[in-house]
Amino acid sequence: MTHSIFDRTFAALATVAVAAAAVAGFWILGTPGQQRLIMSDRQRLEDLSAIANTLYWKKQDQDDYVLPETLDPEDQREDPITQELYRYTKLDDSQYQLCANFATDSSTHKIANTNPKNWQHPQGSYCFELDVNQAAPSLY
């Protein structure tokens, strides 16, 4: 009789502990769907960084390089979800913007924020102002 009460109590406590751990995991990491959105935003940042680095290295290789009005087709990249091209806007001879639509606000990620300060973004459309004379900020 004593073992039966102990077993039931232990089973109830174990069930509560597992449920609490699952809730805490979802609270800290987010749901699998939220993690997919974060990973798609991470891919967007990697694409924007790659475009910026391409422009930077073209500038380094050519003394007379001038920012193009539009990106060459081989320099363009597509959003991983919408397959739309990222937006590029030349601001002046050395300044330009790269824009994307982000699924999440990077400042709300509960785990230590993996986006460096220069790549922080809100949810929705956001543009990064960059300079072709400087390498793109590192993502890592």
Side-chain angles (χ1 to χ4, degrees):
M1 193 79 160
T2 325
H3 287 285
S4 178
I5 293 172
F6 175 78
D7 291 344
R8 286 186 200 149
T9 303
F10 182 78
L13 289 174
T15 301
V16 168
V18 168
V23 168
F26 284 125
W27 182 75
I28 292 171
L29 297 174
T31 63
Q34 182 68 15
Q35 285 300 307
R36 279 191 293 277
L37 294 176
I38 291 169
M39 291 308 296
S40 66
D41 281 352
R42 186 73 175 168
Q43 182 61 52
R44 289 177 180 104
L45 291 176
E46 288 176 8
D47 290 344
L48 295 179
S49 177
I51 293 169
N53 281 320
T54 298
L55 294 172
Y56 172 75
W57 286 110
K58 282 184 177 184
K59 174 72 173 168
Q60 300 309 304
D61 290 341
Q62 304 169 19
D63 291 333
D64 60 344
Y65 182 77
V66 177
L67 277 174
E69 293 299 321
T70 60
L71 289 177
D72 293 333
E74 66 269 6
D75 296 338
Q76 295 177 342
R77 296 200 177 210
E78 294 180 346
D79 183 283
I81 305 299
T82 66
Q83 276 70 51
E84 293 179 11
L85 295 175
Y86 297 110
R87 292 178 311 283
Y88 162 86
T89 306
K90 177 182 175 180
L91 301 176
D92 61 31
D93 289 341
S94 65
Q95 303 285 317
Y96 62 97
Q97 285 183 334
L98 290 175
C99 308
N101 286 316
F102 293 97
T104 65
D105 179 342
S106 63
S107 68
T108 63
H109 301 168
K110 297 219 185 321
I111 290 294
N113 207 334
T114 57
N115 290 352
K117 180 180 165 186
N118 295 342
W119 290 109
Q120 294 294 309
H121 57 81
Q123 183 177 4
S125 182
Y126 185 75
C127 297
F128 296 95
E129 286 195 18
L130 301 162
D131 188 322
V132 73
N133 297 310
Q134 299 174 354
S138 174
L139 286 172
Y140 304 102

